[in-house]
Amino acid sequence: LRTPLPMAVNKLLSILVVCAVLVPFVFPFAPDRFSVVPNDSAGATICPACVTLFDDSLDILLNAILNGGVIGGCSELCGHINDKSEALTCDVLCSFVGIKEFVKIIESTDPDPIYICQVMKVCPAVNGGKVNITSATVSPASGPQGAEFAITMQYTVLNQTSTGLLMVEIKPTNGEPIDDAVLSEGLAPGKYDITFRLKTTPTEDEPFLPGLYNVEVAVCAGDCSTKHPYGGIYATASTSFNITR
């Protein structure tokens, strides 16, 4: 039986509030060296919890399905997830769409957590979004190893956007790119900004050698790719900073 969506959402949101998940949602792959100052606070909604669930636990669910983990319904399937809050999210979503539809969606959809949640109708999906990035800056423009750099993107939403990512990619002169992203549940027309703070303390994996670091910021629909409906890049902009000795 399907659980009515308002009842399912209210059940999950009550847990989210108790757990104090009333903070800006940072996409799960964000490196620890980043902190984010968004333009507004993300309220407790089911969309970020859904995206986190499938980003963290999709493989667990698929393996459970392959091993016959759906015989006992939603509770048995979601019981394979160790994280209690994610298991609860799984149970609520599964109960809402029904076990058969839940399995069908996650088996037939490429592993894109945002799109899965859009198909389940818990993350907004709209066409025709339009964004203009008005400014991309780094402060300070130059600093020594170990300094913290604030990467700020200011942007104007001209047409309502779909659920997607606010992205930053840093490309060292030598070394692998560093990515970070924040989930946006769709924005109404207006002016917005977001700041990513990057700590450049050297490590074995990220030595932050002196030199030029090119930065690209983007406002995306979905995961920024066009492999699914509602996906793509609304706007991009570039800037840079220097690390000195």
Side-chain angles (χ1 to χ4, degrees):
L1 295 177
R2 290 177 49 162
T3 300
L5 182 57
M7 183 184 301
V9 171
N10 289 338
K11 176 183 177 184
L12 180 57
L13 292 189
S14 66
I15 299 298
L16 289 176
V17 171
V18 170
C19 294
V21 188
L22 292 172
V23 295
F25 176 81
V26 180
F27 208 63
F29 63 72
D32 291 339
R33 65 176 64 257
F34 273 101
S35 61
V36 182
V37 181
N39 50 334
D40 58 355
S41 295
T45 73
I46 198 171
C47 177
C50 179
V51 174
T52 299
L53 165 67
F54 291 112
D55 188 77
D56 290 346
S57 303
L58 181 58
D59 287 343
I60 294 173
L61 293 172
L62 290 173
N63 287 333
I65 292 168
L66 287 174
N67 292 315
V70 299
I71 297 175
C74 292
S75 295
E76 180 179 334
L77 175 59
C78 297
H80 289 85
I81 300 173
N82 292 327
D83 184 280
K84 291 183 179 180
S85 63
E86 290 186 10
L88 173 61
T89 302
C90 175
D91 197 11
V92 170
L93 293 172
C94 180
S95 298
F96 166 57
V97 301
I99 184 67
K100 290 184 179 179
E101 185 67 14
F102 187 82
V103 171
K104 177 182 176 183
I105 290 172
I106 65 176
E107 282 191 320
S108 62
T109 307
D110 288 339
D112 175 356
I114 293 176
Y115 184 62
I116 290 174
C117 297
Q118 288 176 320
V119 173
M120 291 185 179
K121 301 189 184 303
V122 295
C123 286
V126 298
N127 289 313
K130 188 174 181 180
V131 177
N132 179 34
I133 298 176
T134 56
S135 175
T137 60
V138 182
S139 179
S142 180
Q145 285 179 320
E148 181 177 272
F149 293 87
I151 303 163
T152 299
M153 172 174 66
Q154 297 178 330
Y155 58 103
T156 300
V157 175
L158 303 174
N159 295 335
Q160 172 72 43
T161 61
S162 192
T163 304
L165 300 177
L166 307 176
M167 293 279 300
V168 61
E169 183 180 52
I170 298 169
K171 302 174 182 178
T173 303
N174 297 303
E176 295 297 320
I178 305 169
D179 298 317
D180 192 20
V182 173
L183 182 72
S184 165
E185 296 178 57
L187 295 169
K191 295 183 178 181
Y192 300 87
D193 62 83
I194 185 169
T195 297
F196 298 87
R197 298 189 181 277
L198 174 68
K199 297 177 182 179
T200 61
T201 304
T203 65
E204 184 176 345
D205 294 330
E206 295 169 351
F208 289 108
L209 298 174
L212 177 68
Y213 287 71
N214 291 309
V215 178
E216 184 172 11
V217 293
V219 181
C220 296
D223 66 353
C224 302
S225 74
T226 57
K227 63 184 179 181
H228 295 303
Y230 315 111
I233 298 175
Y234 291 125
T236 63
S238 299
T239 183
S240 64
F241 63 93
N242 277 284
I243 293 181
T244 60
R245 293 189 183 277

Short mmCIF file of all heavy atoms in Angstrom, two decimals, residues 14 22 24 33 65 76 92 124 180 203 222:
data_model
loop_
_atom_site.label_atom_id
_atom_site.label_comp_id
_atom_site.label_asym_id
_atom_site.label_seq_id
_atom_site.Cartn_x
_atom_site.Cartn_y
_atom_site.Cartn_z
N SER A 14 9.54 15.63 10.50
CA SER A 14 9.57 15.72 11.96
C SER A 14 10.87 15.15 12.49
O SER A 14 11.45 15.67 13.44
CB SER A 14 8.38 14.96 12.56
OG SER A 14 8.48 13.56 12.31
N LEU A 22 18.64 21.55 9.82
CA LEU A 22 18.13 22.82 9.30
C LEU A 22 19.31 23.68 8.88
O LEU A 22 19.45 24.82 9.27
CB LEU A 22 17.30 23.53 10.37
CG LEU A 22 15.99 22.84 10.74
CD1 LEU A 22 15.35 23.53 11.94
CD2 LEU A 22 15.03 22.85 9.56
N PRO A 24 22.35 24.55 5.55
CA PRO A 24 22.54 24.46 4.11
C PRO A 24 23.04 23.08 3.72
O PRO A 24 23.94 22.53 4.34
CB PRO A 24 23.61 25.53 3.84
CG PRO A 24 23.47 26.49 4.98
CD PRO A 24 23.08 25.65 6.16
N ARG A 33 37.89 20.14 3.01
CA ARG A 33 38.60 21.42 3.08
C ARG A 33 37.70 22.58 2.65
O ARG A 33 38.07 23.74 2.80
CB ARG A 33 39.86 21.38 2.22
CG ARG A 33 39.65 21.23 0.75
CD ARG A 33 41.00 21.31 0.01
NE ARG A 33 41.89 20.22 0.37
CZ ARG A 33 42.91 20.35 1.20
NH1 ARG A 33 43.13 21.50 1.79
NH2 ARG A 33 43.71 19.34 1.44
N ILE A 65 18.56 -5.76 -3.69
CA ILE A 65 17.54 -6.21 -4.64
C ILE A 65 18.01 -7.44 -5.39
O ILE A 65 17.27 -8.42 -5.57
CB ILE A 65 17.19 -5.07 -5.62
CG1 ILE A 65 16.47 -3.94 -4.87
CG2 ILE A 65 16.33 -5.58 -6.77
CD1 ILE A 65 16.35 -2.66 -5.67
N GLU A 76 12.22 -4.26 4.88
CA GLU A 76 13.34 -5.18 4.74
C GLU A 76 14.40 -4.61 3.81
O GLU A 76 15.60 -4.67 4.11
CB GLU A 76 12.87 -6.53 4.21
CG GLU A 76 14.02 -7.53 4.05
CD GLU A 76 13.56 -8.89 3.53
OE1 GLU A 76 12.39 -9.24 3.76
OE2 GLU A 76 14.38 -9.58 2.90
N VAL A 92 10.32 5.83 3.97
CA VAL A 92 9.26 6.78 3.67
C VAL A 92 9.03 6.88 2.16
O VAL A 92 7.89 6.82 1.68
CB VAL A 92 9.59 8.17 4.25
CG1 VAL A 92 8.63 9.22 3.73
CG2 VAL A 92 9.53 8.12 5.77
N PRO A 124 11.82 19.23 -7.12
CA PRO A 124 11.18 19.95 -8.23
C PRO A 124 11.89 19.74 -9.56
O PRO A 124 13.11 19.68 -9.63
CB PRO A 124 11.28 21.42 -7.79
CG PRO A 124 11.44 21.37 -6.30
CD PRO A 124 12.21 20.12 -6.02
N ASP A 180 33.51 21.00 -5.79
CA ASP A 180 32.57 21.11 -4.68
C ASP A 180 31.22 21.51 -5.27
O ASP A 180 31.15 22.08 -6.37
CB ASP A 180 33.04 22.14 -3.66
CG ASP A 180 32.24 22.08 -2.36
OD1 ASP A 180 31.60 21.05 -2.10
OD2 ASP A 180 32.25 23.07 -1.61
N THR A 203 48.55 18.94 1.68
CA THR A 203 48.50 17.54 2.08
C THR A 203 49.22 16.73 1.01
O THR A 203 49.60 17.25 -0.04
CB THR A 203 47.06 17.03 2.21
OG1 THR A 203 46.43 17.05 0.90
CG2 THR A 203 46.24 17.90 3.16
N GLY A 222 19.91 19.60 -12.51
CA GLY A 222 20.33 18.22 -12.30
C GLY A 222 21.80 18.15 -11.94
O GLY A 222 22.32 19.00 -11.22
#
